[in-house]
Amino acid sequence: MVRRIDVTGAGGVRLAAWEFAEPPRDRPFIPAQAGSRRRRASPEPPEPPEPEAEHARAADPASRPGVLLLHGLMGRASHWAGTARWLSGRHRAVALDQRGHGQSDKPPRTAHTRDAYVEDAGAALEQLGLGPAVLVGHAMGALTAWQLAAERPDLVRGVVICDMRASALGAASQREWEDWFAAWPTPFATLADARKWFGEDDPWVERPNPARGAFYAEIMHECADGWRPVFDPEQMLVARESWVYDAHWDELAQVRCPTLVVRGLDGELGRAEAQEMVRVLPHGRYAEVPDAGHLVHYDQPDAWRAAVEPFLKEVLTP
């Protein structure tokens, strides 16, 4: 089960947070779609609790250790659904649609600063009563996680960094992204066309990758002329520009909580850089996921869980 909670980020931007809960024992788990047109998840009518279920709810779910899931650039909260399902058995799991993404507000270009993304995550933790929490971030979301951990150690008890580099990527990388966005054949006539292009026909794809196709199909929504991304590509480039030219080693060194650096063997974070990140982190750990690319948690969900779950148990066990 998933419910939407609106929180207020930097500058009054409205952010959609999605809280995942363990489903009742007598019904299958049917997740709400973050990409649906509903503004809020409709509550289901209550059912008389069985004694066993009542006992399971004796402990207030809000008292469970908090985990905030932060997607990467162009991602959305629903990309964390698989991870959040198994987390919700022991933890209070919330995924955030960051500004400009998913069902959160799409503020003007000037509002997509690094400080704003970090302030948004901190505001979400405080307003949801999650902190001190473990932050699990993918790509840009991982950068937000470790920057917040460095700035607000009172809100963060652990960090999971998923396939994000600490080195500066530079102007050439930004130009590649500009060219890539320009190559998108939008609008797509059907969602299946979008899935096929991102999974097979995209020049950035070395070999067919159905998981990648599904990942990008999930960021599309239907418009009058076809299927387009739920975000403004220009805003994504502005958001990326706010961190792509800078290195972030100094911020890593300021993260005092336990931190796990996870990379896919075929991802964007190389082994040497990942291990150097672990060395720079005061309490760094390392894990890698075989047969996974940049979308580690989406490519190999079982192997991702095997890499991350022991760390979470250690950090979140009282």
Side-chain angles (χ1 to χ4, degrees):
M1 296 185 295
V2 186
R3 68 177 179 126
R4 171 176 170 164
I5 307 171
D6 284 345
V7 298
T8 302
V13 171
R14 180 191 53 80
L15 305 170
W18 303 87
E19 182 167 3
F20 292 73
E22 192 174 29
R25 295 171 181 268
D26 58 343
R27 285 184 296 172
F29 183 91
I30 304 175
Q33 295 298 314
S36 69
R37 297 180 181 274
R38 293 182 301 168
R39 285 189 54 81
R40 296 180 183 274
S42 301
E44 297 182 2
E47 297 182 358
E50 298 178 359
E52 183 182 8
E54 189 68 23
H55 176 73
R57 282 191 287 268
D60 182 5
S63 67
R64 296 179 177 180
V67 180
L68 183 65
L69 300 151
L70 299 170
H71 60 74
L73 189 72
M74 301 185 296
R76 64 187 310 166
S78 60
H79 284 143
W80 289 114
T83 297
R85 286 173 195 163
W86 59 262
L87 278 173
S88 64
R90 293 175 176 266
H91 315 299
R92 187 179 174 208
V94 178
L96 182 68
D97 273 336
Q98 298 178 78
R99 62 176 53 217
H101 297 75
Q103 292 192 22
S104 290
D105 282 349
K106 313 295 190 291
R109 292 163 53 101
T110 54
H112 291 265
T113 65
R114 270 288 82 213
D115 288 344
Y117 279 96
V118 174
E119 187 176 334
D120 287 349
L125 289 175
E126 292 180 322
Q127 293 170 39
L128 295 168
L130 278 180
V134 169
L135 306 183
V136 180
H138 173 243
M140 183 191 73
L143 176 60
T144 299
W146 86 61
Q147 288 181 328
L148 180 60
E151 291 184 13
R152 293 290 308 274
D154 57 308
L155 291 178
V156 185
R157 69 169 76 182
V159 176
V160 177
I161 297 170
C162 179
D163 214 63
M164 178 63 189
R165 301 181 61 184
S167 299
L169 301 182
S173 172
Q174 189 72 353
R175 287 194 297 270
E176 288 177 359
W177 274 68
E178 291 171 359
D179 293 343
W180 181 53
F181 275 131
W184 288 21
T186 52
F188 294 98
T190 68
L191 198 55
D193 289 337
R195 188 178 296 110
K196 182 179 183 299
W197 193 83
F198 287 105
E200 300 178 22
D201 302 332
D202 184 348
W204 281 21
V205 175
E206 296 181 358
R207 58 184 182 273
N209 187 336
R212 187 177 189 271
F215 183 93
Y216 284 105
E218 201 165 337
I219 62 173
M220 297 290 158
H221 67 150
E222 191 171 14
C223 303
D225 59 350
W227 292 81
R228 294 181 178 273
V230 296
F231 52 74
D232 178 355
E234 284 297 320
Q235 289 187 341
M236 297 299 100
L237 289 171
V238 170
R240 192 173 190 272
E241 193 173 34
S242 70
W243 51 264
V244 73
Y245 300 113
D246 300 318
H248 304 283
W249 297 100
D250 289 346
E251 296 150 319
L252 272 182
Q254 297 171 32
V255 177
R256 298 294 171 182
C257 60
T259 303
L260 178 67
V261 178
V262 184
R263 62 176 291 268
L265 256 60
D266 298 320
E268 297 178 6
L269 176 61
R271 178 176 289 151
E273 183 171 354
Q275 292 178 344
E276 180 63 11
M277 290 169 66
V278 172
R279 188 193 68 79
V280 169
L281 285 159
H283 303 285
R285 324 276 180 83
Y286 175 75
E288 57 185 34
V289 179
D291 301 319
H294 178 58
L295 308 175
V296 181
H297 58 300
Y298 219 81
D299 281 348
Q300 299 292 340
D302 293 338
W304 157 255
R305 177 175 181 175
V308 172
E309 194 168 27
F311 173 80
L312 293 176
K313 286 182 178 178
E314 177 184 343
V315 173
L316 293 175
T317 298

